[in-house]
Amino acid sequence: MTALVAVSSHLPETVAVADLQEPLGLDDQQVRRFTRLYGLDRICQSPLSEAELLVAAAGKLDGLRGQEDRVRYVIRAKGMRTTAPYPVSPVHEVRETLGLRHAKTLSVADHGCATGLLAMDVAGTLLAADGDPDALALILAGDKTFTPFTQWVQDTSIMGEGMAAILVAPDGDRDTVRGYASRIHGRTDGVIDLTPEIAKHARRIYQDALAEVVGAATEEAGIGVADVDLVLPHNVNRVSWTVAAKNLGLPNDRFFLDNLSATGHCFCADPFINYQTVTELGLLKPGDKYLMTAAGLGQTFAAMVLEH
């Protein structure tokens, strides 16, 4: 089964939400909503380029040092379709900087902030097809907020520039993938902008769509939702996960939200940043079943069950 070998992250310096009021054009009510209701406080921002941020995250992967020639794939998980101006290719810059000379590069997108989980599934599929038990894949997750569209989602969250690097093996004896489900409820024309009409539809289906993928992933893993020991969500806002906890029948303390106030919503890197934090804190015990889950622009929902 697909296994996490190592996870690292790079969290840049942060800016207070209040200090972003003028740059983002927020009014006082929006600032209060983001901070007091949604639980946001500090947002990761950096002058570094996307490639430099990704290299900073991957450079902390202890499991990568000395194993560069085993990496067969570098998979760029992008929350947004475009993360750098043409012809810049951050993923190729990262591959060259890290010396991953045997790795093929590709990007996955269009699942919004659920793309990191899609990349995990793609990595596992490619490694299983290769049939080499020693092969590895490197996933690079997170986005640079280099356009106004990527800096915040109106009435939902403010985006941060934290990045995660995830080293994946085709099999392992810990942190193995037990179940994965993804569903897209988007428009046939591919529009993801949150117009009033699309935003209304997204709010209407959000909790039921999230519960459906969580149920499908846990069923594939052979467990019930109540058997999940810890939930590692994307850091969209506190309210959405408080409602989700009630909807799923899980206590609030099973949702790890400590990074929400410290980083902002770092696109599809959030579940992996949260994973690194909870492992450092010793919150996962051998055999624990934990759930990574996220929703992305375009009404894409995903959930993945892993066993520690």
Side-chain angles (χ1 to χ4, degrees):
M1 294 185 180
T2 308
L4 293 180
V5 175
V7 176
S8 64
S9 62
H10 176 67
L11 302 178
E13 295 296 319
T14 57
V15 179
V17 170
D19 293 335
L20 294 173
Q21 180 170 5
E22 183 176 346
L24 297 182
L26 306 176
D27 58 36
D28 291 342
Q29 183 179 359
Q30 288 172 314
V31 171
R32 287 193 296 271
R33 180 186 300 118
F34 282 128
T35 55
R36 299 180 187 178
L37 184 62
Y38 288 173
L40 298 168
D41 181 28
R42 311 287 302 184
I43 310 298
C44 286
Q45 289 195 344
S46 174
L48 297 180
S49 69
E50 179 180 313
E52 290 170 329
L53 288 168
L54 292 170
V55 168
K60 300 174 186 177
L61 272 177
D62 292 337
L64 182 59
R65 295 189 185 95
Q67 307 298 319
E68 289 85 356
D69 286 351
R70 293 175 57 194
V71 178
R72 298 289 184 268
Y73 302 97
V74 176
I75 303 175
R76 179 73 178 97
K78 302 191 296 183
M80 305 302 299
R81 293 168 180 168
T82 302
T83 61
Y86 178 84
V88 176
S89 178
V91 68
H92 286 98
E93 291 183 37
V94 175
R95 183 189 64 181
E96 295 305 314
T97 301
L98 297 177
L100 305 177
R101 57 181 182 172
H102 297 301
K104 298 177 181 178
T105 60
L106 64 146
S107 294
V108 291
D110 277 348
H111 279 211
C113 294
T115 303
L117 302 182
L118 171 66
M120 276 285 295
D121 187 60
V122 169
T125 300
L126 291 172
L127 291 171
D130 280 354
D132 180 356
D134 294 324
L136 299 170
L138 175 64
I139 298 171
L140 303 168
D143 288 56
K144 180 75 179 175
T145 58
F146 82 105
T147 67
F149 179 79
T150 62
Q151 292 173 352
W152 70 299
V153 182
Q154 186 172 4
D155 298 329
T156 301
S157 197
I158 300 177
M159 313 308 290
E161 295 182 337
M163 303 286 176
I166 306 101
L167 200 60
V168 179
D171 201 358
D173 56 7
R174 68 175 183 86
D175 292 311
T176 51
V177 177
R178 299 294 176 176
Y180 170 66
S182 178
R183 306 286 187 270
I184 299 176
H185 298 268
R187 295 162 55 106
T188 55
D189 58 12
V191 171
I192 63 173
D193 302 52
L194 280 181
T195 63
E197 175 192 358
I198 294 176
K200 182 178 179 180
H201 173 68
R203 288 192 297 270
R204 181 174 60 82
I205 70 168
Y206 188 96
Q207 292 297 338
D208 287 343
L210 182 67
E212 195 272 329
V213 292
V214 169
T218 52
E219 181 179 0
E220 184 175 289
I223 63 172
V225 175
D227 298 318
V228 172
D229 295 292
L230 193 62
V231 180
L232 308 179
H234 72 316
N235 298 333
V236 60
N237 63 61
R238 182 170 56 205
V239 170
S240 67
W241 294 117
T242 300
V243 176
K246 182 178 180 180
N247 197 40
L248 294 169
L250 291 172
N252 289 339
D253 60 10
R254 289 199 201 173
F255 287 76
F256 183 78
L257 300 177
D258 290 15
N259 285 331
L260 175 63
S261 63
T263 66
H265 180 13
C266 298
F267 298 89
C268 60
D270 281 338
F272 303 102
I273 293 171
N274 288 335
Y275 167 85
Q276 183 183 9
T277 303
V278 299
T279 53
E280 290 174 350
L281 293 173
L283 299 182
L284 286 173
K285 303 183 300 294
D288 277 357
K289 310 296 191 303
Y290 58 98
L291 175 78
M292 293 184 176
T293 187
L297 284 178
Q299 285 65 262
T300 297
F301 299 82
M304 179 173 284
V305 177
L306 299 96
E307 182 174 348
H308 191 53

